[in-house]
Amino acid sequence: MSALAGTGVLTRLALRRDRLRLPLWVVGLAALFASIGNSISDLYDSDAARLENAQVRADNVVTRAFTGPAPGSSSGALTVSEGLVFTCVLVALMNILLVVRHTRQNEELGRAELVGSASVGRHAGLTAALLLAGLANAALIVLSTLALLGMGMPAGGSVLAGVALGTVGMAFAGLTSIGAQLTESARTATGLGGLVLATMFLLRAAGDAFGDTASDKVTVNPAWPSWISPLGWGQQLRPYGESRLWPVALLLACFAVSVLVAVQLSVHRDVGTGMLPARRGAARARSSLLKPLGLVWRLQRGLLLGWIVGIAVFGAVFGGIGDQVEDLFSSEESAQFVRDLGGGGDLVDAYFAGMMGLLSVVVAGFTVQALIRLRSDEENGPTEAVLATAVSRTHWVLAHTVIALLGTALVLAALGLSTGLAYGAVSDDLTGALGDLLETTLAQLAPTAVLAGFALAVFGLLPRGAATVTWAAFAVCLVIGQFGTLLDLPDALIDVSPFTHLPDLPAESLTTAPMLVMSALAAALAAVGVAGFRRRSLALGG
Amino acid sequence: MLTNVPSPGGDPGIAISIRDLVKTFGDTTALDSLRLTARSGEVHGFLGPNGAGKSTTIRVLLGLLRKDSGQATLLGGDPWNDAVELHRRLAYVPGDVNLWPNLTGGEAIDLLGSLRGGLSDTRRRELLEKFSLDPSKKMRTYSKGNRQKVALVAAFSSDVDLYILDEPTSGLDPLMEAVFQECVQELRQAGKTILLSSHILAEVEKLCDRVSIIREGRTVESGTLSELRHLTRTSLKVETETPPADLQSLSGVHKLVVEGHQAEFEADTARLAEIHRHLASLGVRSLTSAPPTLEELFLRHYGDQSAAEPAETVVGAR
């Protein structure tokens, strides 16, 4: 079939380009999932403890929404509840980035045009990207199964858990191949993928939250939204529990249909263009654009808006169930779970402290994303053009930092505001709820600033590795925030994340000392970054 | 316009002065004792094959890359320490224009002009017209040539002392190249200094007062065009009444092929007068000559990469 001519060569090329990146992803994901399993086995070491925990997971709406219920009460089943959805989200992310990198990015940068002029078929590029995704996901299935088997988990469930990870990955590889046909820029295609992923997560979360707990008080039959989300399908394989294989058919069908749609779309467009037409814009710049601060604002405002809307939805959901917290966490175990997460005292306060703490770390994802732009623009050209004008390096970095922190404050405020409004509405104490929750979320600006300072320091001192190191630091904070207390990680490790050094607001009260220390640390790190950047040559791409 | 710039170079007649500039990237030596002097008010051609170090030199001059050793002076200031002050007085067109894909061309022009210290609206309008560029399209939809035009319009709309242009016509069609040359001529008449990096010899021959030629990070020639022409050879084809067998004995004659009354050879341009006198004594029936081109000089330096390192020739250090 001539439309596929050259697929082999392109696949080898893609493998060569990703020879380091993909193995790291695959090994990292398998190791993450296995380490969650390991901690769970250590933590719940008797049948009674496991059953109790499984019941808490089914009983607790927030856990159900966040991680999903357990498909049974074995160690493996608890591992699935704790880590499957979370790992699936990361697997989906790997597939989104992979497919965009090997399809739309090649087109945007003009590589596809050059390659397409050789004897390469029309669909070879997409096919090569999907083959690579297939290889990565297959490797993930094998590795994660082996890792789980190595920990002494039952064979059937281990295979099924691996299959869940890999096939969810394939479904997202397929969905992304559609997105890559729609937009002209790789950045937008990745953003579109992220949006779909977030929507699928929310659907799955809603499905589990509104599901019916079965008579065993452990398993939950999800409501319909779970059934339109690939993340829901993967979860419904129920490894170490009922062990169903048929949802795999849904995932593979999703992949197949998506690819067919993508192929149809690609036949109807030209190389380099998207299905969504590029719009014209202003012939003159507004005066607000003409300063570095205005420029950076313009570059980041789309991203910021997306974050504000997304986080406001989450906040409204968590705030809206705030008045039911006492009922939702009625058992002593589940109440203890909340207090572990969010500090002692009033259960409602502990609940909000825990939830807002977790979400604030997620918000730092915006901060990192915004600051990484410094590095990508340096690599791709715009920074060279700016620094060849009368803009100093300090000015340029500060403009990015101000917008990143201002944006973070806005996202945190949106989180506090939406949670506070929703909770205020259901609890009839609007002013109290708003004040408390705004203080809670805005206080998170201090630890986020430390992470931002770290990002700047890495940018100044280690430009080539800046993106990787900064995202890794964010991932560490996220894992510690999500699992730190739960998994009894050593204190020394937990202390690494700046987010663990804030009092559990609103359960505890705000103290100035940690805020001051964190602000000073953030400023010092940022100063190191600026000094490093002023001293070094631009690290240009190519 | 600017008074507080320290002027270690001292000489206000010199816009760019580079001595023994060295820049390495890891194991690779990009610039190796490079020298370059551009006088104020001249169009200085900066020639070299791809990868010779032209862009690296320019980025050092712009304070974007840090030099390892050597001296570089730009408009009397230090390119690294005085970057911001100096950049108010210059405009730069990169070889590969990659700006923000979601800004329009018009916005990018205004932005770059403004960050540099302002641009002339009249000039901007004229240039958009001349280059026939639609400013309301997003950068990501422009072709390479059109992206190049955006940077050119932004640079030429700014009233500055020095224009640094790094292979500015790559991607432009011949019509637009002519417009570009017109713009450079205008700037020269206005007394501006222009550093024009290029590997298009015809363009350099047309525009430049003086040129520096570099290879593998070293300067191999520099001087005015006529001085450099002097170093080149003229191809001659001649038919004489007396067979020109004794041409061999003249100095400055190379690659001589004699066939009866006809001879073909290359002559050192510096020796042309002498050779002409000799030919006249043989009785010239016909004579064709091809003028020396920079191309020839270029090929002599770069054509045979396996040849030993060329002896450095510097002329015109008046």
Side-chain angles (χ1 to χ4, degrees), chain A residues 279-285 289-290 298 380-382 384 387-390 392-393 534-538, chain B residues 23 59 63-66 80 84 87-88 92 98 100 102 104 106-107 110-111 114-115 121 124 134 136 138:
Chain A
R279 282 169 303 167
R280 298 171 80 81
R284 298 298 311 242
L289 178 64
L290 298 178
R298 168 71 182 273
N380 300 332
E384 181 183 0
L387 293 182
T389 68
S392 73
R393 294 188 180 206
R534 282 171 57 95
R535 219 168 282 266
R536 69 172 171 84
S537 289
L538 286 197
Chain B
K23 173 73 192 170
R59 285 174 178 148
L64 299 173
L65 298 180
R66 210 184 165 96
W80 183 266
V84 174
H87 292 173
R88 276 188 236 285
Y92 166 53
N98 278 313
W100 306 272
N102 52 344
T104 63
E107 286 175 322
D110 287 340
L111 178 66
S114 160
L115 295 179
D121 280 351
R124 182 188 186 275
D134 178 354
S136 59
K138 303 265 182 174

Side-chain angles (χ1 to χ4, degrees), chain B:
Chain B
M1 192 195 293
L2 190 78
T3 50
N4 60 343
V5 169
S7 123
D11 188 346
I14 303 294
I16 300 170
S17 159
I18 298 176
R19 306 235 150 268
D20 303 322
L21 185 63
V22 176
K23 173 73 192 170
T24 55
F25 296 105
D27 297 337
T28 345
T29 304
L31 303 180
D32 184 8
S33 313
L34 185 115
R35 291 177 302 98
L36 186 149
T37 307
R39 295 167 194 175
S40 299
E42 79 178 5
V43 181
H44 195 97
F46 190 27
L47 277 162
N50 296 328
K54 301 191 295 290
S55 296
T56 304
T57 309
I58 285 175
R59 285 174 178 148
V60 170
L61 283 177
L62 289 167
L64 299 173
L65 298 180
R66 210 184 165 96
K67 63 176 193 253
D68 291 353
S69 66
Q71 289 173 334
T73 312
L74 185 73
L75 299 172
D78 179 276
W80 183 266
N81 293 320
D82 309 325
V84 174
E85 289 81 3
L86 291 173
H87 292 173
R88 276 188 236 285
R89 299 168 60 195
L90 64 83
Y92 166 53
V93 175
D96 203 354
V97 180
N98 278 313
L99 299 168
W100 306 272
N102 52 344
L103 260 57
T104 63
E107 286 175 322
I109 291 170
D110 287 340
L111 178 66
L112 289 176
S114 160
L115 295 179
R116 202 174 275 144
L119 49 71
S120 149
D121 280 351
T122 339
R123 219 34 211 132
R124 182 188 186 275
R125 208 174 319 118
E126 283 171 16
L127 287 162
L128 283 176
E129 184 106 348
K130 269 190 180 175
F131 280 109
S132 55
L133 178 71
D134 178 354
S136 59
K137 282 189 168 175
K138 303 265 182 174
M139 287 297 292
R140 76 161 60 89
T141 65
Y142 283 134
S143 65
K144 175 169 167 50
N146 280 332
R147 291 206 305 271
Q148 206 72 33
K149 289 181 195 173
V150 167
L152 284 169
V153 172
F156 292 155
S157 304
S158 305
D159 182 27
V160 290
D161 300 338
L162 172 66
Y163 296 82
I164 297 182
L165 315 175
D166 190 359
E167 300 195 357
T169 54
S170 50
L172 293 191
D173 62 42
L175 265 174
M176 290 304 137
E177 230 178 284
V179 173
F180 165 77
Q181 290 173 3
E182 215 174 285
C183 292
V184 172
Q185 300 286 16
E186 279 171 26
L187 290 174
R188 199 221 329 243
Q189 268 147 36
K192 310 295 192 184
T193 312
I194 294 158
L195 180 67
L196 173 62
S197 129
S198 179
H199 56 237
I200 303 166
L201 295 152
E203 179 179 286
V204 171
E205 284 194 295
K206 228 177 261 178
L207 295 174
C208 297
D209 303 304
R210 297 193 330 123
V211 298
S212 295
I213 303 184
I214 68 167
R215 176 191 177 179
E216 291 171 5
R218 283 169 169 276
T219 311
V220 290
E221 304 274 9
S222 67
T224 66
L225 279 179
S226 58
E227 283 161 349
L228 291 183
R229 283 221 177 84
H230 211 65
L231 296 172
T232 61
R233 293 172 186 168
T234 307
S235 312
L236 291 166
K237 198 171 174 183
V238 69
E239 192 181 343
T240 49
E241 283 161 8
T242 319
D246 57 345
L247 270 176
Q248 192 66 59
S249 59
L250 287 185
S251 67
V253 172
H254 307 272
K255 297 190 183 169
L256 177 68
V257 180
V258 182
E259 232 176 86
H261 291 266
Q262 295 186 344
E264 266 190 79
F265 60 96
E266 290 180 0
D268 285 349
T269 309
R271 299 249 169 217
L272 264 186
E274 206 177 304
I275 294 167
H276 269 262
R277 271 197 297 277
H278 182 78
L279 287 175
S281 73
L282 298 174
V284 175
R285 277 187 199 156
S286 78
L287 174 77
T288 48
S289 76
T293 59
L294 265 186
E295 192 120 36
E296 192 201 333
L297 184 68
F298 211 64
L299 288 175
R300 236 172 74 204
H301 279 301
Y302 307 125
D304 186 12
Q305 294 283 339
S306 64
E309 197 75 356
E312 191 171 311
T313 353
V314 177
V315 291
R318 285 174 296 200

Side-chain angles (χ1 to χ4, degrees), chain A residues 170-216:
Chain A
M170 285 317 283
F172 276 93
L175 289 170
T176 311
S177 67
I178 298 181
Q181 311 302 320
L182 296 179
T183 69
E184 279 194 10
S185 95
R187 206 190 288 257
T188 319
T190 307
L192 207 59
L195 196 69
V196 170
L197 177 57
T199 311
M200 294 308 175
F201 181 87
L202 278 179
L203 285 171
R204 200 277 317 151
D208 277 332
F210 295 110
D212 300 322
T213 311
S215 55
D216 60 5

